[in-house]
Amino acid sequence: MKIVLLVLSGDPEQAREWLQNKYPGAVIDQISRGELESSSPVGRIRKLHSLRPEIFAVATERLAWQSGQSDLLLFGALAGARRVVLVDTSGNSRDESRSGVVLRTPFRFARESIVSATAIARSYSGLKKLEQAVKRGTSSTARKNSSPNAFAQAPRIAYLRSTPGVGTQAGGAATHINGFVNAATELGAEVRVISNDYIAGIDRTRLKLIDPEPLGSTRAAFDLHNNLIFSAGAMREVEHSSADLIYQRYARFSWAGVAASLLTGLPLFLEYNGSEVWMGKHWDMGSMLPLLSRFERLNLEAAARIFVVADIERRNLLRAGVPDEKIIVNPNGVDTEKFRPGVGGLAARRDLGVADNETLCGFVGTFGPWHGVLTLAEAITLLPADSRVRFLLVGAGKLRDEVQRIVGAAGREQQVIFAGHVGHERVPALLDACDILLSPHVPLEDGSEFFGSPTKLFEYMAMGKGIVASRLGQIGEVLVDDQTALLTEPGNVHELTRAILRLSNSRELRERLGAAARAAAIARHTWKHNAQRVLDTYQDWTDRSS
């Protein structure tokens, strides 16, 4: 039996293991997402058909978030697969025969079309009403300032996490949510999370789940449909809560926080990690960008305060016409107790098969456009063959196959350990196993200023290891060359290679830079610093409103 596996998101090795358990003895070939995306629709079918799969399997992080499932099923059936299987990292799956797919497809597409058309129509209508309400500055009820806790220093917070998407249950987004929620709680606030999915690390007793529906003929229609579902549920939860403040991570095609704020009169504090319109233009090639732009403007105009992770994003908002007094720069942070030296690195190093006389360089992150993984791959190929430097690459993403190709073509496979997607609870031990930590970010392709505030940057600092990082945006502002890290020109393969070699040859330099970086993280970059800025801003807002 031959299985052809397409990994859209999640851990490829976990998907392979699941398939091997379900189909013992099967031969599993993998086709990359990049191979298919570079072809026309007909070319994609021909490419898959040429592999002659008996089973076409698609792996994704969460089936509940995966749009276009009907398309994927039909794609496999048209390419000749006898069965099509969709599976996610939680073990949820869909398994259909080719004949079943063909018979059901017309009805599925009809339903998808109706749901999509309805979601789009309701979104345009609802958006117009919300835009008018925000412009008037009115809400449907009196503000809840009369509650006893309304002007307390530590408010009761309704935390909204909306819009399903891959990479949000774990990874940097989940780290940020956990960091803020835990730190705000320690500082005395009461935080209730309202989310479309469980979030790794968040106690489920403090989370209200509003399930998404994997319906919508396009990704935009999928998001719009689920915005309607999530917003209705979030409004009910906030209206019947004793919250003093709505705090929302801004998300594409979402108006949940705006609607809940207008309904209850509670202030909306918006965490804005970058423009979804920009990402849609340059990364996702998203559709319905004019509508997405209206959603973005609505959120920015309705928010009482907007928190951005870097000063570049503040400047972007000022250019967009957002008043300066609404914008608070609030960088990401780190839990310096969880991320510290001596948290299992020796055992992890043994498990990875790294010798005592080898230098291990670690990278954690998404194999995406601006994380610099292709630059890192090229640097690995330039290292002397006898350098005894190895690399641990943790994470997944669309460029992982290309990284493996570059490393393999140079005959350096034995130097690189691809750990894949791992739970965030394992990350501290893996970082502790390393001697050097890498953040080789590259500039944005369109020439825009780099707006990222990588959570891994602060986690690296807290680990007390030698760091090599790009002199780029906030990374180059937080780290100081030859004091807390070695900084290199973004995208410069030769500089990156030389910095890695310099640190690998000097334990004393690694220890000096690492100690200084950890001290800086403790002094200025914890999640408590991040949460305290939000609570201080709330206190200031209530003082001004009284």
Side-chain angles (χ1 to χ4, degrees):
M1 180 183 297
K2 183 177 181 181
I3 301 173
V4 175
L5 170 63
L6 169 64
V7 179
L8 297 180
S9 58
D11 185 359
E13 295 308 314
Q14 184 179 354
R16 282 178 168 272
E17 183 179 351
W18 187 90
L19 289 168
Q20 286 167 348
N21 289 334
K22 185 173 178 64
Y23 304 103
V27 175
I28 302 175
D29 287 345
Q30 193 166 330
I31 187 169
S32 74
R33 183 173 181 174
E35 285 182 78
L36 295 177
E37 288 179 342
S38 63
S39 304
S40 67
V42 173
R44 294 171 191 171
I45 293 173
R46 286 176 177 167
K47 192 172 295 252
L48 180 58
H49 186 271
S50 69
L51 298 176
R52 305 204 175 279
E54 292 180 68
I55 296 175
F56 175 53
V58 180
T60 183
E61 188 178 347
R62 293 286 276 152
L63 275 177
W65 305 338
Q66 184 61 55
S67 60
Q69 292 186 32
S70 297
D71 293 322
L72 291 168
L73 291 165
L74 182 60
F75 171 55
L78 292 177
R82 182 168 52 83
R83 300 197 72 81
V84 183
V85 179
L86 312 182
V87 60
D88 68 14
T89 54
S90 298
N92 302 305
S93 65
R94 293 180 66 178
D95 183 344
E96 297 190 14
S97 67
R98 179 169 57 209
S99 59
V101 170
V102 173
L103 285 172
R104 296 184 186 100
T105 290
F107 302 100
R108 286 172 174 162
F109 280 177
R111 185 188 182 202
E112 294 261 0
S113 297
I114 293 170
V115 168
S116 297
T118 302
I120 292 169
R122 290 181 61 192
S123 296
Y124 273 105
S125 174
L127 187 62
K128 184 176 181 179
K129 292 178 182 177
L130 289 174
E131 287 170 334
Q132 292 172 343
V134 169
K135 187 174 182 179
R136 292 193 305 267
T138 58
S139 59
S140 60
T141 64
R143 278 173 42 186
K144 289 188 176 181
N145 283 353
S146 58
S147 74
N149 197 52
F151 293 97
Q153 186 172 359
R156 295 168 293 207
I157 302 172
Y159 188 113
L160 307 188
R161 200 293 297 268
S162 64
T163 304
V166 296
T168 54
Q169 202 268 351
T175 300
H176 194 148
I177 295 169
N178 273 277
F180 172 78
V181 169
N182 293 334
T185 301
E186 288 181 31
L187 291 168
E190 297 178 28
V191 185
R192 174 73 166 170
V193 179
I194 304 169
S195 173
N196 53 46
D197 191 30
Y198 294 117
I199 302 166
I202 293 292
D203 185 347
R204 296 190 179 191
T205 62
R206 71 164 78 177
L207 184 148
K208 171 61 180 179
L209 180 65
I210 300 173
D211 288 309
E213 291 182 357
L215 293 173
S217 54
T218 65
R219 180 71 209 192
F222 173 90
D223 288 340
L224 291 169
H225 175 64
N226 279 288
N227 170 57
L228 296 172
I229 295 172
F230 183 81
S231 294
M235 289 168 68
R236 286 193 300 270
E237 289 296 316
V238 175
E239 185 179 22
H240 296 102
S241 74
S242 57
D244 305 302
L245 166 67
I246 299 167
Y247 185 99
Q248 179 174 357
R249 285 179 63 89
Y250 167 64
R252 53 185 283 121
F253 292 116
S254 175
W255 66 40
V258 177
S261 176
L262 289 169
L263 175 68
T264 63
L266 297 175
L268 170 62
F269 280 15
L270 191 70
E271 180 191 304
Y272 182 80
N273 293 296
S275 170
E276 289 289 345
V277 176
W278 186 94
M279 294 179 199
K281 288 179 180 177
H282 298 283
W283 289 353
D284 301 333
M285 302 302 141
S287 59
M288 304 189 74
L289 292 180
L291 181 62
L292 180 59
S293 180
R294 286 178 62 185
F295 270 86
E296 192 155 291
R297 285 197 304 271
L298 174 71
N299 277 269
L300 295 175
E301 290 173 7
R305 295 293 183 269
I306 303 167
F307 294 86
V308 296
V309 293
D311 195 62
I312 169 58
E313 210 53 69
R314 174 182 169 275
R315 296 195 295 273
N316 286 340
L317 289 180
L318 289 174
R319 283 192 287 269
V322 177
D324 189 27
E325 62 270 16
K326 287 178 65 170
I327 308 169
I328 312 295
V329 178
N330 195 19
N332 287 324
V334 62
D335 181 338
T336 55
E337 285 302 306
K338 183 178 296 183
F339 288 86
R340 59 181 173 82
V343 287
L346 290 177
R349 196 177 175 99
R350 285 194 300 270
D351 292 342
L352 293 168
V354 179
D356 292 341
N357 63 346
E358 291 180 315
T359 301
L360 185 61
C361 300
F363 166 88
V364 176
T366 303
F367 286 60
W370 53 278
H371 288 256
V373 289
L374 298 183
T375 302
L376 175 57
E378 295 289 351
I380 292 171
T381 68
L382 295 181
L383 287 170
D386 61 352
S387 62
R388 298 198 63 77
V389 177
R390 295 184 68 186
F391 294 83
L392 171 64
L393 308 185
V394 179
K398 64 188 299 183
L399 296 179
R400 173 173 162 162
D401 290 342
E402 180 65 9
V403 171
Q404 288 182 297
R405 187 196 65 76
I406 293 171
V407 171
R412 299 300 184 96
E413 302 99 320
Q414 298 305 312
Q415 284 183 258
V416 183
I417 303 167
F418 288 92
H421 176 82
V422 304
H424 195 251
E425 70 281 356
R426 289 183 56 204
V427 172
L430 292 176
L431 295 182
D432 192 37
C434 299
D435 304 290
I436 300 169
L437 299 174
L438 305 171
S439 181
H441 289 75
V442 294
L444 302 174
E445 292 180 357
D446 73 329
S448 301
E449 278 193 87
F450 182 84
F451 56 81
S453 177
T455 54
K456 70 180 178 190
L457 169 65
F458 304 103
E459 292 171 354
Y460 285 4
M461 294 173 69
M463 294 307 303
K465 305 288 183 175
I467 299 172
V468 178
S470 296
R471 189 183 290 103
L472 184 66
Q474 190 184 76
I475 299 170
E477 296 168 358
V478 170
L479 296 172
V480 180
D481 188 37
D482 211 32
Q483 293 185 28
T484 53
L486 295 186
L487 298 182
T488 64
E489 189 65 23
N492 190 314
V493 176
H494 294 281
E495 276 198 23
L496 178 60
T497 305
R498 286 194 295 270
I500 291 171
L501 282 174
R502 183 183 171 195
L503 272 185
S504 67
N505 290 328
S506 176
R507 180 172 180 173
E508 183 277 330
L509 179 59
R510 296 196 301 267
E511 291 178 350
R512 174 173 67 82
L513 295 178
R518 177 165 171 81
I522 292 171
R524 297 186 292 276
H525 302 299
T526 68
W527 284 119
K528 277 194 176 181
H529 288 101
N530 178 283
Q532 189 64 62
R533 290 187 196 98
V534 174
L535 300 184
D536 289 346
T537 301
Y538 174 74
Q539 186 62 47
D540 178 70
W541 184 86
T542 55
D543 290 344
R544 290 169 182 260
S545 302
S546 59

